[in-house]
């Protein structure tokens, strides 16, 4: 019987006992008479099959990527290569910015505000400065001005899309669903003699939508408010001016060209917006909450199985700071349902550093980063977690793994472990962060801790999840929904 591409790749890699690229795998397979392909590009087919297997199975795949276009068998025990997301070059353009010093009371706000007079008062010519975009990207003394437009049809249908990878947008929003179109306000928008004023945000809105939707021009544009978001390194650079516009009657969504970065263009009802709330990027979530309230869905907790084969009593709960993962573990523990292992406490033991609890975590994070980057750090941590798991019987939940290599090492002990990724909006996470912390806190504390280098890999671990949980409700609702899922899907 003919072997598949994956079976042939496995045979060749095991015989060669070293990493190979798809061309090398195909060449050796052809020499050995293992592969006769009628396709025009068999080596590309080989790469596609292996890449698809990796995307589908993650760390459970027999293969691993050890370099750009270089594959090995996972049994070789080599270091996993994590490729950087695609990013278009930053275009050469002069953009409109506002010095942080001119923002006044806006700097203390996180989220959307409908205070139109306040944002209009900020958008005065004397407050504006024009900077090369490449320079502005590396200078947080200024906010880059963004026009962000919501487009509606018949008042109750909202135009949405998925943001593709062919864009210079930040990686954190690539692949997300959006209801905002638009982009940077350029000097040509502000200085246009026919400009409608307000720092050129109307001209930007019309130009950006015209470019993204290939000739489409929104009607009845008006300023609805602003988005201030200092909760992330990207957010701190931008000030979003939110506009609302309408779709012309002759717009045909099924017969319309668009930019490569605009995918899956569709209209959504209010119910559909809330049903898909967890898939939207943060700014869109803020606007859905404000403009499209739906009492039945205002606090959604969504559980999405990604891999259905739950065959182990070992569960790993992963998520960014203050998303609700630790709260979930604590509530499980209080109900005497499961045994909880804190990865943080395991690391504390290994680096001989006092567990910070709810106080400042900077020193702990720095030592933890040095430890996990050491050659045997992930292996030592996985072994310590395993030692803790063996103390207990029944179901065990591991809280706080942050790195690919730690998960790889842990899966060597427990190949069938279930990975649960807990997610939330950043404003909800900030509120949780403030509630559990002591002392005076501001958004900069949250941003610095959440985006410390030791936390950088967490968002990518979502791709390894067996279960995705969006925590958009109360902790009681989170626990209720999780318990319902847990009792239904585990033995």
């Amino acid at each position: 019987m003919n072997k598949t591409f994956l079976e042939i790749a496995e045979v060749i890699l095991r015989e060669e006992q070293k990493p190979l690229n798809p061309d090398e795998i195909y060449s050796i397979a052809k020499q050995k008479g293992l592969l006769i392909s009628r396709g025009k590009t068999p080596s590309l087919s080989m790469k596609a099959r292996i890449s698809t297997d990796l995307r589908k199975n993650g760390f459970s795949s027999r293969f691993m990527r050890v370099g750009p276009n270089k594959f090995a068998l996972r049994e070789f025990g080599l270091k996993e290569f994590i490729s950087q997301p695609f990013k278009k070059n930053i275009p050469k353009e002069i953009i409109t910015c506002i010095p942080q010093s001119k923002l006044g009371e806006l700097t203390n706000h996180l989220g959307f505000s409908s205070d139109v007079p306040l944002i209009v008062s900020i958008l005065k010519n004397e407050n504006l400065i024009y900077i090369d975009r490449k320079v502005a990207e590396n200078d947080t003394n200024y906010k880059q001005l963004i026009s962000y437009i919501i487009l509606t049809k018949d008042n109750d249908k909202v135009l949405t899309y998925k943001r593709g990878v062919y864009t210079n947008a930040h990686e954190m929003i690539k692949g997300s669903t959006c209801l905002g179109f638009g982009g940077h306000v350029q000097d040509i928008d502000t200085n246009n003699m026919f400009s409608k004023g307000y720092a050129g945000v109307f001209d930007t809105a019309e130009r950006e939508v015209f470019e993204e939707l290939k000739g489409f021009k929104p009607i009845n544009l008006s300023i609805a408010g602003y988005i201030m978001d200092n909760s992330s390194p990207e957010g701190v650079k931008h000030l979003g001016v939110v506009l609302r516009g309408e779709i012309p009657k002759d717009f045909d969504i099924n017969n319309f060209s668009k930019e490569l970065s605009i995918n899956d263009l569709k209209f959504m009802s209010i119910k559909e917006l809330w049903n898909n709330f967890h898939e939207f990027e943060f700014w869109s979530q803020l606007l859905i909450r404000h403009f499209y309230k739906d009492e039945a869905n205002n606090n959604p907790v969504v559980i999405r199985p990604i891999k259905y084969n739950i065959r182990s009593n070992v569960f790993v709960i992963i998520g960014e700071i203050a998303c609700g993962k630790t709260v979930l573990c604590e509530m499980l523990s209080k109900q005497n349902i499961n045994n909880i292992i804190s990865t943080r406490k395991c690391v504390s033991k290994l680096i001989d550093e006092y567990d910070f609890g709810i106080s400042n975590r900077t020193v702990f994070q720095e030592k933890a980063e040095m430890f996990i980057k050491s050659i045997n750090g992930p292996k030592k941590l996985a072994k310590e977690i395993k030692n803790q798991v063996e103390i207990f019987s029944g179901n065990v939940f591991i809280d706080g793994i942050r790195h690919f290599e730690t998960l790889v090492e842990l899966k060597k002990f427990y190949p069938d472990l279930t990975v649960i990724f807990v997610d939330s909006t950043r404003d909800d996470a900030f509120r949780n962060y403030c509630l559990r912390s002591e002392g005076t806190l501001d958004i900069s504390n949250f941003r610095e801790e959440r985006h410390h280098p030791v936390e950088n890999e967490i968002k990518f671990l979502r791709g390894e999840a067996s279960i995705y949980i969006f925590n958009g409700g109360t902790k009681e609702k989170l626990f209720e929904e999780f318990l319902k899922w847990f009792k239904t899907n585990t033995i």
Side-chain angles (χ1 to χ4, degrees):
M1 189 172 93
N2 293 333
K3 292 182 180 294
T4 66
F5 276 94
L6 293 180
E7 290 170 338
I8 291 169
E10 181 177 7
V11 168
I12 297 301
L13 287 168
R14 185 167 291 114
E15 288 180 352
E16 296 296 317
Q17 284 294 301
K18 64 180 181 182
L20 299 170
N21 64 44
D23 287 335
E24 292 167 330
I25 296 172
Y26 169 69
S27 179
I28 295 170
K30 185 178 179 182
Q31 289 173 15
K32 293 179 176 290
L34 295 175
L35 179 60
I36 300 174
S37 174
R38 295 184 177 86
K40 294 182 179 180
T41 54
S43 63
L44 290 179
S45 297
M46 179 70 73
K47 178 182 178 180
R49 299 297 197 284
I50 298 175
S51 297
T52 300
D53 188 75
L54 280 166
R55 283 195 300 272
K56 181 180 178 182
N57 297 310
F59 292 135
S60 299
S61 171
R62 72 195 99 169
F63 304 101
M64 65 187 299
R65 188 176 278 105
V66 295
N69 203 33
K70 206 83 167 178
F71 300 97
L73 292 179
R74 197 165 295 280
E75 64 194 47
F76 293 174
L78 301 176
K79 183 178 176 66
E80 192 100 23
F81 171 75
I82 303 171
S83 61
Q84 293 298 312
F86 171 83
K87 189 173 181 67
K88 285 175 66 178
N89 291 329
I90 295 173
K92 293 181 179 179
E93 57 189 19
I94 304 300
I95 59 174
T96 305
C97 299
I98 298 178
Q100 299 273 9
S101 59
K102 298 289 186 180
L103 296 177
E105 61 186 273
L106 268 70
T107 57
N108 298 319
H109 181 74
L110 170 59
F112 172 76
S113 170
S114 58
D115 192 341
V116 174
L118 178 58
I119 189 60
V120 168
S121 71
I122 296 292
L123 302 177
K124 295 184 294 188
N125 285 336
E126 57 263 36
N127 287 341
L128 307 180
I129 185 168
Y130 305 97
I131 305 176
D132 184 288
R133 184 170 171 185
K134 291 183 179 179
V135 175
E137 286 293 328
N138 295 297
D139 192 341
T140 55
N141 290 311
Y142 305 96
K143 283 275 192 185
Q144 302 169 35
L145 201 58
I146 305 292
S147 282
Y148 197 78
I149 310 100
I150 307 172
L151 298 173
T152 59
K153 178 182 179 182
D154 302 329
N155 294 322
D156 61 350
K157 296 289 185 181
V158 185
L159 192 60
T160 67
Y161 66 97
K162 282 191 182 293
R163 195 181 294 274
V165 298
Y166 193 75
T167 173
N168 47 47
H170 193 263
E171 65 191 57
M172 67 194 298
I173 62 174
K174 290 180 182 179
S176 297
T177 304
C178 306
L179 56 73
F181 296 82
H184 285 81
V185 178
Q186 298 180 26
D187 60 339
I188 58 173
D189 301 316
T190 308
N191 298 322
N192 180 358
M193 64 180 295
F194 301 106
S195 172
K196 301 181 180 68
Y198 302 124
V201 295
F202 283 95
D203 298 85
T204 301
E206 290 182 351
R207 173 177 53 77
E208 289 285 345
V209 171
F210 188 88
E211 292 174 359
E212 291 177 338
L213 297 180
K214 302 294 184 183
F216 168 83
K217 188 175 181 179
I219 58 177
N220 298 329
L221 279 176
S222 63
I223 294 179
Y226 66 89
I227 292 175
M228 175 64 71
D229 173 21
N230 287 340
S231 64
S232 71
E234 279 304 299
V236 79
K237 301 176 189 175
H238 301 118
L239 172 62
V241 181
V242 178
L243 299 95
R244 302 186 77 180
E246 297 173 13
I247 307 289
K249 297 290 185 183
D250 60 352
F251 178 76
D252 183 358
I253 199 169
N254 298 313
N255 188 26
F256 218 79
S257 59
K258 57 192 182 302
E259 280 191 343
L260 292 175
S261 61
I262 305 295
N263 298 312
D264 197 20
L265 194 66
K266 66 170 67 172
F267 286 107
M268 286 193 187
S269 64
I270 294 176
K271 182 178 180 180
E272 288 171 322
L273 291 175
W274 280 102
N275 286 343
N276 295 279
F277 183 81
H278 61 287
E279 296 180 356
F280 281 90
E281 49 89 24
F282 179 46
W283 283 20
S284 294
Q285 290 173 333
L286 293 172
L287 298 181
I288 292 171
R289 280 178 174 168
H290 182 85
F291 290 111
Y292 306 106
K293 289 181 172 28
D294 181 2
E295 297 303 325
N297 289 288
N298 270 346
N299 293 302
V301 172
V302 178
I303 299 180
R304 291 285 185 269
I306 300 169
K307 299 173 184 175
Y308 287 86
N309 296 325
I310 298 173
R311 296 175 293 186
S312 172
N313 67 318
V314 181
F315 298 79
V316 174
I317 298 187
I318 295 171
E320 295 187 84
I321 289 174
C323 65
K325 65 184 187 306
T326 300
V327 168
L328 178 58
C329 285
E330 289 172 352
M331 294 186 76
L332 287 167
S333 182
K334 287 177 182 178
Q335 296 291 326
N336 296 316
I337 294 172
N338 294 286
N339 305 299
I340 311 297
I341 295 172
S342 168
T343 301
R344 189 174 74 194
K345 290 182 180 179
C346 292
V347 172
S348 176
K349 177 181 176 181
L350 292 167
I351 66 176
D352 194 26
E353 177 66 37
Y354 176 68
D355 181 7
F356 58 85
I358 58 174
S359 61
N360 190 287
R361 67 172 80 200
T362 304
V363 174
F364 185 93
Q365 283 183 320
E366 290 174 355
K367 285 193 174 183
E369 183 188 10
M370 290 178 62
F371 166 76
I372 208 66
K373 284 185 175 180
S374 65
I375 294 176
N376 292 314
K379 187 175 292 187
K380 289 179 180 178
L381 178 54
K383 182 67 185 305
E384 178 60 28
I385 293 172
K386 177 178 179 291
N387 292 340
Q388 296 297 317
V389 170
E390 290 178 346
I391 294 173
F392 303 110
S393 60
N395 293 314
V396 179
F397 274 71
I398 302 164
D399 170 25
I401 284 180
R402 286 168 164 75
H403 298 90
F404 272 109
E405 288 192 59
T406 305
L407 195 57
V408 168
E409 294 296 331
L410 194 60
K411 281 201 170 187
K412 290 179 182 178
F413 298 122
Y414 307 105
D416 295 326
L417 67 78
T418 298
V419 178
I420 299 171
F421 190 94
V422 182
D423 198 9
S424 69
T425 61
R426 290 203 300 277
D427 56 338
D428 278 349
F430 178 57
R431 281 189 285 272
N432 292 337
Y433 174 81
C434 292
L435 286 171
R436 78 184 193 191
S437 302
E438 295 178 341
T440 303
L441 292 170
D442 60 30
I443 194 69
S444 63
N445 298 122
F446 172 76
R447 182 178 67 251
E448 289 166 9
E449 291 191 11
R450 189 172 166 105
H451 294 275
H452 188 280
V454 79
E455 310 284 334
N456 278 348
E457 289 186 17
I458 293 177
K459 53 184 173 291
F460 299 114
L461 287 173
R462 177 175 172 176
E464 302 305 319
S466 312
I467 309 296
Y468 170 81
I469 300 177
F470 179 79
N471 176 23
T474 63
K475 63 181 182 181
E476 290 79 15
K477 183 67 173 176
L478 172 64
F479 181 66
E480 175 189 336
E481 292 298 321
F482 178 80
L483 201 57
K484 190 188 304 180
W485 169 85
F486 187 73
K487 289 181 176 179
T488 303
N489 291 278
T490 59
I491 300 173

